[in-house]
Amino acid sequence: MDFSIPVMRNVDDLEWLPSPMPGVERKPLAREDAERGHATSIVRYAPGSVFRAHPHPLGEEILVLEGEFCDETGRYPAGTYFRNPPGSSHAPYSPEGCVLFVKLHQFAPLDSEQVVVTSDIVKGLPFDQPYLLHEYHAEHVYLVRLNSASDFSALFGAVARPFELLVAEGRVIYEGVDLPALSWLRTPDIQSSQLNVTQDSLLWLKFGHF
């Protein structure tokens, strides 16, 4: 939780931990407290899992990585991105099981836009064309497909700034550290020239939010 230092997590090195609900497990990437406050995690629902209805006082941000995530508002297959704003609540479940990237309690209080970006966007996303998922003041959230010929600095600039990355698919190297699929990086001053893509990859990126 120290935002002044870089953090890199390879999910393969982390164990699944139980949640309060049977069948729902998590790999915490950053967590303020056990069951409340700021949290960034990889979450896995076993087939047929249900999570009790619960509120999100400072919002919830989700990228569906595998399977299909559901709640009373609809069904969200792999590739869907959505934001449930502060004050929202839901009762999620997954008939077939799913894996999610989840960020809790991290919205600006007045960032109240409900956002749903369908999986069709991800399926049709061309290389080297970042897709803006959401922006609020300095915060910008993207999905981008890159390959070994991509120039990250040319796409996003070489200026150091607060940055967060999830490798949704593929593999990248940052400052010599190998980051395979589902690895996570957060740094107060991204060095764009040090991020190299070694294979076809899908990245979730966030700038300027801390």
Side-chain angles (χ1 to χ4, degrees):
M1 292 301 299
D2 185 347
F3 289 83
S4 67
I5 61 174
V7 179
M8 286 185 271
R9 307 295 297 271
N10 183 337
V11 172
D12 291 340
D13 296 334
L14 305 176
E15 295 184 2
W16 290 106
L17 302 178
S19 79
M21 301 301 292
V24 182
E25 299 175 300
R26 300 171 293 195
K27 290 189 175 186
L29 304 173
R31 188 163 66 177
E32 183 176 4
D33 200 356
E35 297 302 332
R36 61 183 179 180
H38 178 117
T40 300
S41 308
I42 300 295
V43 177
R44 180 172 67 183
Y45 279 65
S49 298
V50 176
F51 208 98
R52 63 172 176 261
H54 57 278
H56 293 293
L58 278 180
E60 174 186 54
E61 180 178 12
I62 290 179
L63 176 64
V64 183
L65 300 170
E66 300 175 13
E68 186 177 61
F69 177 79
C70 308
D71 64 13
E72 57 269 42
T73 66
R75 305 173 73 93
Y76 304 103
T80 306
Y81 171 83
F82 60 94
R83 299 172 64 93
N84 293 322
S88 62
S89 63
H90 65 164
Y93 61 98
S94 183
E96 304 301 326
C98 63
V99 177
L100 316 170
F101 176 61
V102 181
K103 296 179 67 63
L104 300 174
H105 211 82
Q106 298 176 44
F107 284 34
L110 298 181
D111 184 1
S112 59
E113 183 181 359
Q114 177 82 40
V115 175
V116 178
V117 178
T118 67
S119 60
D120 292 339
I121 296 297
V122 173
K123 293 175 183 177
L125 194 62
F127 286 99
D128 298 333
Q129 294 188 26
Y131 185 88
L132 181 63
L133 298 168
H134 181 69
E135 62 178 324
Y136 183 79
H137 295 307
E139 178 178 327
H140 292 77
V141 188
Y142 296 92
L143 279 175
V144 60
R145 284 198 183 277
L146 303 176
N147 57 28
S148 57
S150 300
D151 185 339
F152 188 85
S153 293
L155 291 172
F156 292 100
V159 178
R161 50 183 165 164
F163 173 83
E164 188 174 348
L165 173 151
L166 177 80
V167 184
E169 301 171 8
R171 183 180 299 266
V172 304
I173 295 174
Y174 181 67
E175 294 188 336
V177 178
D178 187 41
L179 298 174
L182 301 192
S183 293
W184 176 75
L185 161 68
R186 188 189 69 208
T187 178
D189 54 353
I190 178 68
Q191 304 299 318
S192 297
S193 62
Q194 296 299 308
L195 196 148
N196 298 297
V197 181
T198 59
Q199 60 184 251
D200 293 357
S201 300
L202 175 68
L203 308 180
W204 172 95
L205 310 172
K206 183 180 283 193
F207 292 96
H209 56 303
F210 63 92

